[in-house]
Amino acid sequence: QQQVRQSPQSLTVWEGETAILNCSYEDSTFNYFPWYQQFPGEGPALLISIRSVSDKKEDGRFTIFFNKREKKLSLHITDSQPGDSATYFCAASEGTQVVGQLTFGRGTRLQVYA
Amino acid sequence: EAAVTQSPRSKVAVTGGKVTLSCHQTNNHDYMYWYRQDTGHGLRLIHYSYVADSTEKGDIPDGYKASRPSQENFSLILELASLSQTAVYFCASSDARDEQYFGPGTRLTVL
């Protein structure tokens, strides 16, 4: 059973548009949700994260919206750039587990066309 | 600059052979992890460690062993490599703040 689900599997947007990547989870004890960005041939890199006490986290063009009741979150990338083309992973962890034991979704592959 | 390095970057192994993947971090982090990534899947946790000389099983430990001889080094060992273990393997480190720093990965092909 997938604990963390992402949709869509792939997404194509034009430069300047807003890309919306979705994530949902099963375990109500999850309280930390990082998003990782991965370029081909590289390891994932932390992009932005949110804790369940917040419903929104913003960092430049990247914003996470979090709905605890529905166990859903989304990553919005405004003014998308070709350099944002990558795979984005939503992950989750639960505070009483060993710190950092993350459960990852399968990723959303984003393509931004100029 | 803090970093996680992995060696080798790619490896071809024969079925039934022994494979050791190495990871080294200069982040001064206590926690280290091994993940595998398969096409179309996210990362799945194999083993992790929160102190030298101690390792813990992750979500998919079968067929893998881990070794943490020092804070900086963490190895993943496949005693009898199998075709199903063909994947890209990532090492990561973190401190108590949850943020994990990943290495560049090792592409393992078992023939």
Side-chain angles (χ1 to χ4, degrees):
Chain A
Q1 182 184 3
Q2 246 183 296
Q3 291 264 32
V4 177
R5 288 189 171 87
Q6 291 187 246
S7 65
Q9 200 169 3
S10 64
L11 177 65
T12 300
V13 299
W14 292 101
E15 183 176 3
E17 292 184 333
T18 296
I20 300 175
L21 290 66
N22 301 302
C23 179
S24 64
Y25 61 97
E26 300 285 333
D27 192 336
S28 58
T29 62
F30 286 151
N31 60 13
Y32 171 68
F33 303 90
W35 285 83
Y36 282 82
Q37 181 187 54
Q38 185 180 30
F39 295 106
E42 298 182 9
L46 180 67
L47 181 66
I48 186 172
S49 64
I50 193 168
R51 294 198 178 269
S52 59
V53 294
S54 302
D55 56 14
K56 182 181 176 181
K57 178 78 172 290
E58 200 168 346
D59 185 357
R61 296 185 295 107
F62 302 92
T63 303
I64 299 174
F65 293 92
F66 179 66
N67 186 322
K68 187 173 183 177
R69 183 179 60 83
E70 295 186 8
K71 297 183 194 173
K72 292 181 178 179
L73 55 160
S74 60
L75 174 68
H76 291 225
I77 305 173
T78 58
D79 189 24
S80 297
Q81 301 297 310
D84 296 330
S85 297
T87 299
Y88 292 81
F89 292 99
C90 173
S93 72
E94 183 261 311
T96 58
Q97 288 180 344
V98 171
V99 170
Q101 193 170 348
L102 293 171
T103 299
F104 283 82
R106 294 188 175 185
T108 293
R109 180 175 293 182
L110 174 66
Q111 181 72 47
V112 181
Y113 286 117
Chain B
E1 182 178 328
V4 178
T5 55
Q6 295 182 231
S7 62
R9 292 296 314 277
S10 67
K11 170 85 176 174
V12 178
V14 295
T15 303
K18 182 177 180 178
V19 176
T20 300
L21 307 182
S22 300
C23 178
H24 178 80
Q25 56 108 350
T26 58
N27 297 328
N28 198 33
H29 288 161
D30 286 327
Y31 302 88
M32 295 188 75
Y33 315 83
W34 276 107
Y35 294 89
R36 67 175 279 172
Q37 184 176 43
D38 300 277
T39 302
H41 289 77
L43 287 81
R44 291 181 289 173
L45 182 65
I46 306 171
H47 284 287
Y48 62 94
S49 168
Y50 48 86
V51 68
D53 295 321
S54 177
T55 63
E56 305 293 332
K57 294 180 179 180
D59 298 324
I60 53 165
D62 293 345
Y64 303 94
K65 290 172 60 178
S67 173
R68 182 91 182 272
S70 64
Q71 185 195 42
E72 298 81 14
N73 295 293
F74 192 34
S75 297
L76 185 68
I77 302 148
L78 290 66
E79 294 279 3
L80 295 170
S82 66
L83 295 174
S84 64
Q85 293 177 312
T86 292
V88 180
Y89 292 85
F90 289 99
C91 175
S93 72
S94 75
D95 62 17
R97 296 175 298 167
D98 291 326
E99 179 177 348
Q100 294 190 19
Y101 294 85
F102 284 81
T106 294
R107 183 174 296 276
L108 175 65
T109 303
V110 182
L111 302 175

